[in-house]
Amino acid sequence: MASKTLFKSMIGKLIPRADAVNEAGGVAYRLSPKAALAQYAATGCLSTTYYASERDQLQTVLNLCAHPQVEPEFIARVAIYARSKGHMKDLPALLCAALSVYGPGLMAEIFDRVIDDGRMLRNFVQIMRSGAVGRKSLGTLPKRLVQQWLERRTDEQIFRASVGNDPSLADVLRMVHPKPASASRAALYGYLLGRPHDAKALPQIVAEFEAFKAGQRAEVPDVPFQMLTSLELSSQHWKQIARNAPWQMTRMNLNTFARHGVFDEGQQMARLVADRLRDPQAITRARVFPYQLMVAFTQVVTEVPAMVREALQDAMEIATANVPAIDGQVYVCPDVSGSMHSPITGVRKGATSAVRCVDVAALVAACFLRTNRSAEAMPFKEDVVSGLSLNGRDSVMTNAAKMTAIPAGGTNCSAPLAYLNRRKATGELVVFVSDNESWVDKAHGRGTATMEQWSIFKARNPRAKLVCIDLQPYSTTQASDTGRDDVMNIGGFSDSVFEVIAQFARGELNTDHWVGVIEKVQL
């Protein structure tokens, strides 16, 4: 009989040595500079998290951008990935601004792909003028890029982009002094800046808006919703707003529509709104985070018609349709510990999200259950939570709600693997959804307790793979993927996470895994 002591010690020697302490005080593995930058870009909103302030995050990102192992080309690729796939706002704008220092030519090359709407433009300008990246003004090249951004937009696009402050679009115009190429553009710039202008030359959409404000036009103009909220509007006006509303505005204002009588007469408006919410192309264009649908569903009032509430569930199924179906047994482990009850996008005065990390973790687990009917969900805190009945045939919303109702506790990332090992369980994929701030479990060897338990599981299941989805912007992990093809660390909470997991499960990624995905981004 083989010596258990001998083989146990050999497994221990194969475990990489832990080289970091995480924010919660537990032993951990430090992510490589490239992986850490990708992690921050995919999860960071420059807001205070459970363990780190917004200033800590900002300084960490800037330090990573200056790291000799992080080339400017990689910064550019991360910025594109975080914006186009991760649907992030603040960090892509920050990385674009950082390139004004580390790679001005690359900044020019990616500018329009990252700064793709009015809000992103204002974010970029605010970051540049704040001095965060080492300069107090825009500078010649950034100024020219902003001017070109304005020149390439139509009058209507410029007007729609004028919603928002700190800085406002008018502030941006004062900084870059764009030269209008037409009489309508000259009138529009004067209008936005509050300067004398030719009212007859204003673009049609602006003229319609001013006529509506003055009571000279009965029909509601098709302008951004925020421009209308301070006006006295009838229920008929609100119905017209609902007819014209884009997808995200519809999702965010269902209760407002109900309060103003949009759904009062018949089912026509309810059917129109429901069809919009479940439109696959509209969902894709809206860059919706799956958790935003869950929030809309849980917060919608009973006055919103049933068909509209059901459409949100349909939209959730569409938004998470790319959850991979895995051949074999899948175990998904959502972290329900105390730190996971903090806001997913951090704490920001006046703009703190009601969505918690635990909500997103439960949602991801529910999505896997929906796609992989034999999958097993194992919520954990100090230990695996027992007695929870989850059915893969139930909706994503239903299963997620059950998991988020679990009381909080300490963080023990090794608990699910230890539980599987006690059962002698077999499987092909284990997925953790956590902030990776494990501190309850104590390693007995050179690595983390999570890697110790994974080594035991892996010895029994040589083809198995481990995915650790990290929802918060920190630079450590509990499972090292250095030099391994069976472990992947990935950050983020958009549907792009599912795409990367699918590729990893199929064996289509290189040894750099997630960093490799970003390295493939074309500049």
Side-chain angles (χ1 to χ4, degrees):
M1 181 176 178
S3 168
K4 294 182 180 180
T5 303
L6 171 63
F7 286 103
K8 181 177 180 181
S9 64
M10 289 183 67
I11 289 175
K13 290 180 180 178
L14 295 175
I15 298 172
R17 187 180 298 280
D19 59 359
V21 175
N22 63 27
E23 282 77 359
V27 295
Y29 297 100
R30 193 176 309 281
L31 294 174
S32 71
K34 285 185 175 182
L37 181 61
Q39 173 67 32
Y40 273 81
T43 61
C45 298
L46 299 181
S47 302
T48 299
T49 64
Y50 193 85
Y51 289 109
S53 71
E54 67 272 23
R55 291 189 178 277
D56 293 335
Q57 293 181 53
L58 173 62
Q59 193 56 55
T60 299
V61 171
L62 294 176
N63 290 343
L64 289 168
C65 287
H67 198 285
Q69 293 182 29
V70 179
E71 307 89 355
E73 290 80 5
F74 187 75
I75 299 174
R77 289 187 170 95
V78 172
I80 294 171
Y81 181 89
R83 180 61 182 151
S84 63
K85 295 292 187 179
H87 313 329
M88 301 300 285
K89 300 179 181 70
D90 293 348
L91 262 296
L94 174 62
L95 295 180
C96 195
L99 285 174
S100 68
V101 176
Y102 300 108
L106 286 166
M107 178 184 65
E109 194 171 340
I110 71 167
F111 192 83
D112 279 346
R113 296 169 67 182
V114 176
I115 310 302
D116 57 1
D117 64 22
R119 175 170 177 174
M120 289 298 293
L121 182 72
R122 293 186 293 104
N123 284 353
F124 173 79
V125 171
Q126 174 61 19
I127 290 169
M128 290 294 296
R129 74 176 187 174
S130 72
V133 298
R135 50 197 312 169
K136 285 286 188 179
S137 62
L138 284 177
T140 303
L141 177 58
K143 181 178 178 180
R144 185 167 73 246
L145 291 173
V146 173
Q147 290 172 338
Q148 291 173 353
W149 189 98
L150 294 166
E151 291 167 1
R152 291 168 182 164
R153 267 67 188 176
T154 66
D155 290 344
E156 181 172 335
Q157 288 173 326
I158 295 295
F159 181 63
R160 291 182 178 279
S162 66
V163 173
N165 295 296
D166 300 325
S168 65
L169 186 62
D171 294 329
V172 176
L173 295 176
R174 293 187 185 95
M175 279 184 268
V176 303
H177 306 290
K179 295 180 179 179
S182 66
S184 64
R185 184 58 62 91
L188 176 60
Y189 285 163
Y191 170 84
L192 294 174
L193 290 168
R195 295 174 180 171
H197 59 275
D198 183 359
K200 294 181 180 179
L202 283 171
Q204 182 178 352
I205 187 173
V206 184
E208 291 174 352
F209 177 57
E210 287 301 309
F212 181 76
K213 286 167 58 180
Q216 300 167 0
R217 171 190 167 96
E219 186 178 358
V220 179
D222 184 14
V223 299
F225 174 71
Q226 297 91 326
M227 294 181 176
L228 300 169
T229 53
S230 62
L231 306 179
E232 291 291 333
L233 301 174
S234 67
S235 62
Q236 291 304 313
H237 288 148
W238 278 102
K239 288 179 181 179
Q240 191 173 344
I241 291 172
R243 289 190 189 96
N244 297 333
W247 194 94
Q248 280 282 30
M249 197 200 97
T250 301
R251 190 265 307 175
M252 296 171 65
N253 290 280
L254 294 175
N255 291 346
T256 301
F257 291 162
R259 189 166 60 251
H260 291 283
V262 169
F263 304 119
D264 283 356
E265 300 174 10
Q267 295 187 327
Q268 181 182 1
M269 286 304 303
R271 188 172 296 108
L272 183 150
V273 170
D275 288 345
R276 178 185 300 150
L277 288 172
R278 63 166 67 96
D279 180 354
Q281 293 182 339
I283 292 170
T284 300
R285 287 195 303 269
R287 295 177 174 178
V288 60
F289 289 120
Y291 75 74
Q292 292 174 322
L293 287 162
M294 182 174 68
V295 172
F297 180 77
T298 56
Q299 294 186 348
V300 73
V301 296
T302 56
E303 288 77 11
V304 174
M307 73 170 68
V308 175
R309 299 197 300 271
E310 291 170 2
L312 288 171
Q313 296 204 59
D314 295 338
M316 174 66 80
E317 302 295 338
I318 293 168
T320 57
N322 57 348
V323 177
I326 308 298
D327 292 332
Q329 182 62 44
V330 177
Y331 303 101
V332 58
C333 313
D335 181 353
V336 297
S337 65
S339 60
M340 292 288 287
H341 285 69
S342 61
I344 184 68
T345 54
V347 177
R348 181 179 295 181
K349 186 177 181 180
T352 299
S353 171
V355 184
R356 305 163 300 171
C357 296
V358 68
D359 298 319
V360 178
L363 175 60
V364 172
C367 290
F368 271 96
L369 289 179
R370 187 76 165 144
T371 307
N372 301 271
R373 293 297 174 82
S374 64
E376 183 177 346
M378 297 185 298
F380 71 92
K381 39 187 177 176
E382 298 95 343
D383 206 342
V384 172
V385 177
S386 60
L388 186 66
S389 177
L390 300 172
N391 184 347
R393 292 184 178 275
D394 286 339
S395 72
V396 168
M397 304 285 198
T398 299
N399 281 327
K402 290 180 180 179
M403 284 182 273
T404 56
I406 299 170
T411 310
N412 180 356
C413 287
S414 65
L417 290 169
Y419 175 70
L420 292 174
N421 287 331
R422 289 195 297 271
R423 287 169 42 188
K424 308 294 184 188
T426 59
E428 280 63 44
L429 180 67
V430 180
V431 180
F432 277 78
V433 196
S434 174
D435 60 4
N436 271 316
E437 295 301 310
S438 193
W439 58 271
V440 172
D441 46 348
K442 303 294 184 182
H444 300 290
R446 49 190 279 143
T448 62
T450 299
M451 280 304 286
E452 289 178 359
Q453 293 297 330
W454 175 245
S455 295
I456 297 170
F457 186 89
K458 181 73 175 178
R460 192 171 60 255
N461 301 279
R463 296 173 55 190
K465 294 188 175 182
L466 173 64
V467 174
C468 298
I469 303 174
D470 198 332
L471 301 178
Q472 290 286 267
Y474 305 126
S475 57
T476 62
T477 180
Q478 289 296 294
S480 173
D481 56 11
T482 303
R484 305 180 68 107
D485 61 4
D486 62 327
V487 178
M488 179 175 70
N489 289 287
I490 178 173
F493 33 80
S494 74
D495 59 350
S496 63
V497 169
F498 298 134
E499 298 174 12
V500 178
I501 294 174
Q503 293 178 44
F504 181 63
R506 293 193 298 264
E508 297 174 358
L509 299 183
N510 59 26
T511 53
D512 290 326
H513 303 318
W514 187 34
V515 169
V517 171
I518 296 172
E519 292 278 19
K520 292 178 183 178
V521 172
Q522 295 296 315
L523 295 178

